[in-house]
Each structure stands twice: as C-alpha cells, then as structure tokens.
C-alpha cells in the first residue's frame, strides 16, 4: 500500500529570511490589500488555464488515497504508527474471489473492474514492524535478550506497561461502498473493509483495480513566480459543504498566516498570505491548516492551488 504519512516539516538550509518559493523585494512593507489583489489576479489566471479534458467528467479520478478510515479510529501512538506504516496481520481467511461492482457518482454510474479482498490486503500490508529494542514482542512479555528483572521498583516498569511492537490485527473483512471525493463529486466507491482489533473504526481499501483509475491531470500554472507574501496550498485536510480546511506551506518564522480563496461557478482557487520574518531564520516548510468559507457549496468543483494550478486532493488519513 502507499504509506500514509503526514509531512510536518521539510528541512532545508539556514537562510536569511524564510521565503522559499516566492520572489520580490524582501524589505517591502506588508500590505494585505496588495497581497489580496495579487492573489485574485493569479487565481484568475490559474482558473483560465484549467482545462482537464473529458476524463475529468466521465472517468473515475479519485481525489483521495486508496486507504481510508470509516470513522474515528481511537488511535494510540503505537496503533497510529502501525496504521501509517502499513503493519498488519490477518487472523481470518482473506478471500481471493473477485466481485463485481460499480461506482455511483452524483451524475451517474460507472462499472469498473475490481480487485479481490486478498489483493486489497496485499496492497494494505507492507511488511512487519521494525525492531523495537527494549519493547515486548507480545503485550506483557519481555523481549528475549532484554531486561530480565521482574516489574517493580527496580524493574522494567516502563517497558511492561507499553503496547507491544505489533502490527494491527485483522479480525474480519467485508465488501461495501465508502464515500470518496472524486473529480465528479463525492461518489460511493466499492471497498474492502477490514475490521481491526486494536481500532474503533474499520480500515477501507478501495477495490477499484489500479488499471481503471484515471490519474489527476498535470497542472498548468502561470509561468511567472508566485508573488512574495503569498504561499501555496499543499492539500485539503477536510471538505464540509461550504467549508474547506486547507494546509498551506509556510515558513518556520512566517506570521500573520491568512487563507485566501477565489471562486467562480466551475472552479475554486486557494492559497494564503503571510508576513515574512526579518533576520536569520531556518528554512522549514511547515503545513499550516486554515479554514475558508465558500459563497456556495463546493459540489463537484475542483480546488486548485494558486501556485501550481494543480487540483488538490484530500490529505492521506
């Protein structure tokens, strides 16, 4: 499976100032009105350049990853690490039989080839956990070759009370559909749902065969750099009717982080503005979640990044 990891920072180099992608006079005073005008001009250019082709409205173009959670999983640090690393073990038979199914879009239906539960599980399970020195291989049991002192005032109290270094345990698998954001709006997509002993929500692996998935089209951004003071959107954290939670890529010392949105009936463009720091600052790209409110519900409109012009997908969960 594709590993699910949230990018927190991207270390670069020590630099004077924190502008990583923008250009412009470093000593120019901040001006929210100027930045908003520059954003609107850039967003209009991005929207005009957006021409995705007929597949965008006729094929299956998912805007989420193939592995989803069906609710709040009740993660602990250990179970979240196992989920994001793709560590699983099956305690039930995983059927190799393929089934038929179709995707239900708001504007129609599409029948596509699907994969079996066994194939979905092979995509989901990426291997065994890494060694955890001093951690038990099973809950409540010491690691062979590790501490031999019994728990107590002079023993390995911390190790014995921590969760073992184990993969997630699959106890059942069923076939159903799950809501997935696509280029044609939120669709009901066939998926294999794995019940996990250690989690309070099931893990869904989308069942559409990889050969039937149409990739997101390449972006067509304006040639000129993003104006200084503006920052790009990296992905969508959540979509809820008229509310979008967007993660902006900002510098470590940026302040005044403000989301910006431009919309028309067929497309939405998002980004943000920041106040750059003066003096020395380590260059770290941080993902800062912000929320914008649209004038009308998003529906099937694509959300484009003001920097690259690329359609944004929902961040891996």
């Amino acid at each position: 499976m594709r590993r699910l990891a949230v990018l927190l920072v991207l270390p670069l180099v020590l630099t004077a100032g924190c502008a990583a992608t923008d250009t412009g006079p470093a000593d120019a005073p901040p001006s929210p009105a100027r930045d908003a005008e520059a954003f609107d001009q850039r967003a209009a250019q991005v929207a005009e350049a957006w021409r995705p082709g007929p597949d965008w409205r006729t094929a299956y173009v998912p805007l989420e990853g193939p592995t989803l959670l069906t609710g709040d999983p009740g993660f602990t640090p250990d179970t979240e690490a196992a989920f994001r690393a793709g560590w699983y073990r099956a305690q039930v038979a995983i059927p190799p039989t393929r089934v038929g199914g179709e995707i239900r879009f708001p504007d129609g239906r599409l029948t596509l080839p699907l994969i079996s539960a066994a194939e979905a599980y092979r995509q989901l399970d990426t291997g065994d956990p890494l060694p955890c020195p001093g951690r038990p291989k099973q809950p409540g049991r010491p690691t062979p070759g590790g501490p031999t002192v019994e728990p107590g005032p002079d023993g390995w109290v911390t190790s014995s009370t921590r969760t073992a270094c184990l993969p997630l345990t699959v106890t059942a698998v069923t076939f159903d559909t799950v809501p997935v954001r696509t280029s044609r709006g939120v669709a009901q997509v066939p998926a294999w749902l794995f019940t996990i002993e250690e989690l309070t929500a099931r893990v869904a692996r989308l069942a559409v065969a990889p050969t039937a998935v149409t990739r997101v089209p390449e972006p067509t951004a304006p040639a000129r750099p993003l104006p200084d003071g503006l920052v790009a959107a990296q992905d969508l954290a959540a979509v809820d009717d008229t509310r979008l939670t967007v993660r902006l890529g900002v510098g470590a010392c940026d302040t005044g982080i403000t989301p910006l949105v431009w919309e028309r009936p067929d497309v939405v463009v998002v980004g943000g503005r920041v106040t750059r720091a003066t003096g020395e600052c380590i260059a770290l790209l941080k993902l800062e979640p912000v929320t914008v409110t649209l004038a009308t519900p998003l529906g099937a409109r694509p959300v484009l990044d003001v920097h690259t012009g690329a359609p944004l997908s929902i961040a891996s969960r």
Side-chain angles (χ1 to χ4, degrees):
M1 62 168 273
R2 185 180 68 184
R3 294 192 177 188
L4 303 178
V6 177
L7 176 64
L8 298 179
V9 295
L10 178 62
L12 299 174
V13 294
L14 190 66
T15 184
C18 290
T21 59
D22 302 346
T23 58
D27 56 353
S31 170
R34 180 199 63 203
D35 291 342
E37 181 180 0
F39 173 83
D40 287 346
Q41 292 176 355
R42 175 87 175 199
Q45 294 171 355
V46 166
E48 285 301 315
W50 173 247
R51 290 179 175 82
D55 284 348
W56 187 259
R57 291 300 179 202
T58 60
Y60 170 56
V61 186
L63 299 178
E64 297 191 56
T67 302
L68 310 173
L69 290 164
T70 60
D72 182 358
F75 278 140
T76 65
D78 286 313
T79 58
E80 182 173 10
F83 171 76
R84 300 201 180 281
W87 297 334
Y88 293 88
R89 64 175 177 180
Q91 290 194 338
V92 293
I94 308 294
T97 307
R98 296 188 180 219
V99 297
E102 64 179 10
I103 300 175
R104 301 195 301 273
F105 298 98
D107 61 354
R109 301 188 176 203
L110 183 63
T111 299
L112 293 175
L114 305 181
I115 61 174
S116 68
E119 289 174 289
Y121 182 71
R122 283 195 294 269
Q123 295 173 2
L124 194 67
D125 182 22
T126 63
D128 296 326
L130 300 173
C132 297
R135 300 283 299 280
K137 289 187 177 180
Q138 296 182 26
R141 298 185 184 180
T143 302
T148 57
V149 180
E150 291 298 319
D154 301 318
W156 41 277
V157 175
T158 300
S159 294
S160 67
T161 57
R162 293 183 66 183
T163 304
C165 236
L166 292 175
L168 300 175
T169 308
V170 177
T171 58
V173 57
T174 57
F175 182 76
D176 205 341
T177 62
V178 293
V180 176
R181 180 160 178 78
T182 74
S183 62
R184 298 165 63 178
V186 177
Q188 292 295 322
V189 179
W192 291 103
L193 306 183
F194 296 91
T195 301
I196 306 299
E197 181 179 333
E198 297 85 0
L199 303 181
T200 56
R202 291 180 293 178
V203 175
R205 182 73 185 188
L206 300 184
V208 179
T211 55
V213 177
T214 300
R215 299 184 62 179
V216 174
E218 293 295 324
T220 52
R224 60 190 180 86
L226 194 66
D228 189 39
L230 299 183
V231 293
Q234 305 297 312
D235 55 31
L236 293 171
V239 176
D240 183 13
D241 197 37
T242 60
R243 290 170 60 85
L244 307 180
T245 301
V246 180
R247 295 197 301 178
L248 302 177
V250 304
C253 303
D254 290 346
T255 59
I257 301 168
T258 305
L260 297 172
V261 60
W262 183 95
E263 62 181 303
R264 68 184 191 190
D266 63 328
V267 69
V268 172
V269 183
V270 293
R273 67 170 300 272
V274 298
T275 299
R276 301 295 188 188
T278 58
E280 289 190 347
C281 174
I282 188 169
L284 295 174
L285 179 65
K286 300 193 304 180
L287 300 187
E288 183 73 20
V290 295
T291 300
V292 298
T293 301
L294 305 177
T296 59
L298 179 63
R301 290 182 292 174
V303 181
L304 307 180
D305 165 38
V306 73
H307 182 206
T308 63
L312 299 180
S313 297
I314 294 179
S316 299
R317 291 176 245 178

